[in-house]
Amino acid sequence: MRYRIRRWGPGLLLIAPSLVLLAVFVYGLIAWTIKVSLSDRHTAQESNGFVGLKNYTDLFTNDINDRFTHSLTNLLIFTVVFMAGTMFFGVLWALLLERGVRAEGIFRTIYLFPMAVSFVASGVVWRWLMNSKIGEDAGGLNWIFEQLHLGFLQNPWWTDPDWGMAAMAVPAIWQLSGYVMALFLAGFRGIPAELREAAVVDGASTFQLYRRVLFPQLTPVALSALIIVGHMSMKMFDLIMSVSGAQWLTEVPAVYVWQTLLTSDYAKAAAISVILLLLVALVIVPYLVHTSRVEKRS
Amino acid sequence: MKFSRRAAVAIVGVAALFGAAACGSDDDGDGGNTKDVEVFTWWADGGEKAGLDGLVSTFDTDCADYTFVNGAVAGGAGANAKQVLASRLQQGDPPDTFQAHSGQELTDYINAGQIEDLSADYKTWGLDTAFPQGLIDNLTVDGKIYSVPANIHRANVVWANTKVLTEAGITEDATTLDQFIANLEALKAKGVAAPLAVGKDWTQLMLLEAVLITDLGPEKFTGLWDGSTDWSSADVTKGIEDYKTLLGYSNADRDTLDWTDAEKLVMDGKAGYQLMGDWEAADLDTKGFKEYSYSAFPGNATAFQWLADGFVLPKGAKNAEGTRCWLKTVGSAEGQKAFNTKKGSIPARTDAVATDYPEYQQSAIADWKKGTQVPSCAHGAACAQGLQGALNSAVGKFSTDLDVETFQKALVAAASQFIKK
């Protein structure tokens, strides 16, 4: 027993501060948020009646103009386009670089660099690029299309009521594709050269080499990339705030939380936050379970 | 030996951390002098800061016993300050007085019992007679008044580019909605594609309110905010239809523009008209634009849709007497003059001397005296923040789908959720 304490004690003591901080400031506050979300605290007042899941059901059934479902739809469109776009460009660029381009380092830096820019800064620029005016008044990308006599490409970007969120994903794709590329490039580099050589010796075509030998080994990389991009997408706030500001057209749950907090509706804001947390957990937890299993096996 | 060294490192680590935490929470005490009056605002620069400075110099003379302490929190058009204020009120550490929109926006503070009733002081200071009765009526909640407005702005003003109007042969200000629509049509015929400049959600809400004042009249319009007028009535439907017609003459990219972007459309001659609060006068002057004219929104007649920044007396203020002296200064003729001549607004008092003010304000002062006061929702005089948020979202949606029926349903739902009858 004493031996055990000697063995575990110091280590435990060493991580105790961070454990305590995490317990209080992360898990404690999550618990507190859940508690608020179950109360009727809809004003700045301290009223703490317990209302069960009413705030949650209200969000889905009793929200004015179905505002919450609308924000979820927006988020879904954004996430699908964002994930598909980053995966497409990430894999494409990784493939091109993997094939052995001259000055690979330069291209890698160029593609990766947008990630260094904050969403707020790029949002301000993209706000201007995605100016919705067309024809003579056009600005930004629409102006470029106009000058190139590609007027038919002009579009209202994020102000389109149905598919505007797809346009909102464009800056995000621009920023994160390079990161996905880096992940895949590392994945490609991690595959032993012997495997390629063996495949070539066996007479595999380039397509077969990629399809049957390389890509199957990249599944874990693809999964990580999807998880990372996916959870960023669900929490998206800063980009949307700097491109469109908080408004109906582009409202996603994170922006809705902000708007609700500004009107001191704490219970509702907490309920949306909890739903958002669950959505992200839905993606991340299975992934964590999966990786820990894989690690145990190896 | 090995164990003890490891343990020592761990213990030192823990101790250092808690030590740091303890230092961080060091009690910095109150340091408050009982003569200090902490005035919490978000007036940190520009005309607002100048106005506050004017007010402070009057305070220093009138209340020589007390010292003004500036508690301004800059940024975010007050959003930052409101967050700071909310946490201070929650912790029971209120400033001696704070800035807030007078009217319904105070509802949350009133319900939470965070601010004091000032109606007795209104009598003592003579404010009940110095302010127009319409304003007193709008300010009164269950027989009590909770704030002293420092200024008045008017929301229902139409600004026009006179050059564009003249070219289209428009020589008179429209006084009815039909006339206004005819003018918009004339501008359109002259090649002005979007004759009415409109910005994002809250500016749309202002336009909707102005149309509703025309279609319902001032009395029924005011009733919308206290539950005595029915949002589902046919009058409101007509108002929404008219509002929709007006949106048809506006710029398609309205949801991407702030009010200053819309103002620029007017300045550039790309639009003829814009509905905006009368802070636009000061802004146009600053930008050196001269070819503008202004008039009340067509059909509003003498309705003066007001909004105001006011000051309150928080419960538990450390220096309540000092705060009272500040509030007395804010409501006094000298205080209002010192503040408003700098900020570009008009005094709430009816005894103001118009010649002390620039041209636009002179006409606004005259309108204020003879007009009917109606409150503005978009700027907090008529609505608490929850209702403002819900309505902004609803007009934002309407701007994209122009579906009158769902819009009215949303308005009715918002009213039933937020307005206590």
Side-chain angles (χ1 to χ4, degrees), chain A residues 205-266:
Chain A
S205 67
T206 311
F207 177 75
Q208 282 173 324
L209 172 69
Y210 278 97
R211 171 74 185 79
R212 305 275 172 210
V213 179
L214 299 181
F215 277 141
Q217 305 212 44
L218 292 178
T219 317
V221 175
L223 198 61
S224 315
L226 279 177
I227 302 287
I228 292 166
V229 172
H231 93 278
M232 283 181 78
S233 166
M234 288 188 190
K235 298 186 290 187
M236 191 52 72
F237 175 79
D238 35 8
L239 178 71
I240 292 168
M241 288 298 276
S242 46
V243 172
S244 70
Q247 59 167 299
W248 165 267
L249 264 176
T250 56
E251 194 162 75
V252 294
V255 175
Y256 196 4
V257 171
W258 168 253
Q259 290 288 78
T260 320
L261 265 184
L262 281 184
T263 59
S264 306
D265 192 340
Y266 294 102

Side-chain angles (χ1 to χ4, degrees), chain A residues 10 13-14 17 41 43-46 64-65 67 127 132-133 137 158-159 161 244 246-249 262-263 266, chain B residues 3 10-11 14 17 83 90 108 111-112 200-201 253 255-256 385-386 389 393-394 396-397 400 410 413-414 417:
Chain A
L13 211 55
L14 201 59
R41 200 168 168 213
T43 57
Q45 264 169 291
E46 287 282 355
I64 296 168
N65 272 334
R67 193 169 163 187
R127 176 195 170 90
S132 68
K133 285 203 181 85
D137 292 337
W158 58 266
T159 58
S244 70
Q247 59 167 299
W248 165 267
L249 264 176
L262 281 184
T263 59
Y266 294 102
Chain B
F3 155 66
I11 289 165
V14 174
L17 204 110
Q83 295 299 316
Q90 230 160 48
D108 289 344
N111 289 342
K200 65 182 284 192
D201 45 21
D253 62 350
D255 294 312
T256 67
Q385 292 186 12
S393 167
K397 177 175 190 299
T400 66
Q417 186 179 337

Side-chain angles (χ1 to χ4, degrees), chain B residues 41 43 64 90 95 112 123 151 154 197 224 233 237 244 246 292 314 322 348 365 374 395:
Chain B
T41 65
W43 291 330
Q90 230 160 48
K123 290 221 170 63
N151 63 350
R154 186 177 195 176
L224 286 172
S233 69
T237 315
K244 184 180 169 181
L246 291 183
Y292 71 89
I365 289 171
V374 294
V395 290

Side-chain angles (χ1 to χ4, degrees), chain B residues 157-198:
Chain B
V157 186
V158 173
W159 305 86
N161 182 323
T162 47
K163 194 162 158 246
V164 175
L165 296 199
T166 321
E167 277 167 14
I170 301 166
T171 48
E172 274 181 26
D173 293 333
T175 51
T176 66
L177 214 46
D178 290 337
Q179 233 177 330
F180 189 49
I181 291 169
N183 287 355
L184 291 169
E185 198 55 58
L187 285 166
K188 209 163 186 174
K190 265 283 167 193
V192 183
L196 179 64
V198 177

Side-chain angles (χ1 to χ4, degrees), chain A residues 59-199:
Chain A
L59 277 178
F60 287 101
T61 58
N62 200 15
D63 211 17
I64 296 168
N65 272 334
D66 293 327
R67 193 169 163 187
F68 184 65
T69 352
H70 168 74
S71 75
L72 283 180
T73 318
N74 276 347
L75 184 63
L76 181 72
I77 297 174
F78 180 84
T79 305
V80 169
V81 177
F82 181 32
M83 284 168 74
T86 44
M87 291 305 275
F88 176 76
F89 285 106
V91 173
L92 181 72
W93 294 342
L95 264 181
L96 293 177
L97 291 185
E98 201 264 336
R99 297 295 292 161
V101 189
R102 223 182 288 171
E104 187 204 315
I106 295 176
F107 282 111
R108 213 170 44 206
T109 315
I110 290 176
Y111 287 140
L112 199 53
F113 211 65
M115 209 179 88
V117 183
S118 74
F119 273 126
V120 175
S122 76
V124 171
V125 177
W126 279 94
R127 176 195 170 90
W128 175 78
L129 282 175
M130 297 197 293
N131 190 319
S132 68
K133 285 203 181 85
I134 54 171
E136 281 174 23
D137 292 337
L141 292 175
N142 281 351
W143 179 82
I144 296 175
F145 291 146
E146 178 82 8
Q147 298 301 308
L148 294 175
H149 301 288
L150 294 170
F152 64 93
L153 280 176
Q154 293 185 341
N155 69 77
W157 300 107
W158 58 266
T159 58
D160 183 282
D162 297 319
W163 298 104
M165 285 312 283
M168 190 63 91
V170 172
I173 294 172
W174 173 76
Q175 284 203 260
L176 266 293
S177 292
Y179 177 64
V180 174
M181 174 205 73
L183 286 179
F184 273 97
L185 212 50
F188 277 124
R189 295 284 142 81
I191 299 171
E194 294 83 12
L195 287 180
R196 291 171 189 247
E197 284 162 13

